[in-house]
Amino acid sequence: GTSCTPYQQQVQQGNIITPKMMAKLSPGMTKEQVAYILGTPDIQNPWNTNEWYYVYTNKEDGKTLVRNHLKLDFTNDKLSHIEGTYAPPSELQYTTVEAH
C-alpha cells in the first residue's frame, strides 16, 4: 500500500468520530451506550460528569490540519445535547461552534 509516506509526519490524537458513529447517537441514550459507540471521552469534567468532550487533532509537520471537537451533555444520565464540529443526528439540538 501507499499509506506509508516517511517524509510527512502526521500525528493524530484523540478519537476519530465518523458520520456513521454520529448517526447511531440518539437522544436519551445512556452514558454506557454512548461510550460503546464513541469510546470513552477524551476529557471529562470532574465536577460535572454530565459533560463529555471528544477532541481530535491531526497535525502534520507541527501544523494543525484538522481539529474537531464534540461536546455531549447528559441530563439524568441520558444524552440530551450535542455540539461541536461533527455533523449531529438531526433530532438532537445542535450548536455550531467556530473552530479557532
Side-chain angles (χ1 to χ4, degrees):
T2 55
S3 59
C4 190
T5 49
Y7 344 105
Q8 332 176 302
Q9 191 193 7
Q10 279 206 3
V11 182
Q12 297 188 20
Q13 287 176 300
N15 293 303
I16 295 178
I17 295 173
T18 64
K20 237 180 215 160
M21 289 158 73
M22 290 298 293
K24 289 181 183 165
L25 296 178
S26 59
M29 278 188 166
T30 65
K31 290 176 178 177
E32 286 77 19
Q33 288 172 309
V34 172
Y36 181 75
I37 296 167
L38 298 182
T40 53
D42 298 305
I43 305 165
Q44 256 178 298
N45 182 337
W47 296 279
N48 182 356
T49 54
N50 288 316
E51 287 181 5
W52 282 15
Y53 296 90
Y54 293 85
V55 178
Y56 169 77
T57 55
N58 186 337
K59 291 186 173 148
E60 192 174 288
D61 298 328
K63 287 203 294 272
T64 300
L65 301 180
V66 180
R67 183 178 168 85
N68 287 323
H69 65 274
L70 185 65
K71 177 179 178 253
L72 304 184
D73 290 301
F74 293 86
T75 306
N76 300 323
D77 288 337
K78 299 280 196 290
L79 182 59
S80 58
H81 183 83
I82 290 182
E83 62 184 70
T85 53
Y86 291 98
S90 51
E91 319 89 86
L92 278 162
Q93 184 195 2
Y94 186 67
T95 324
T96 303
V97 179
E98 287 298 317
H100 293 296

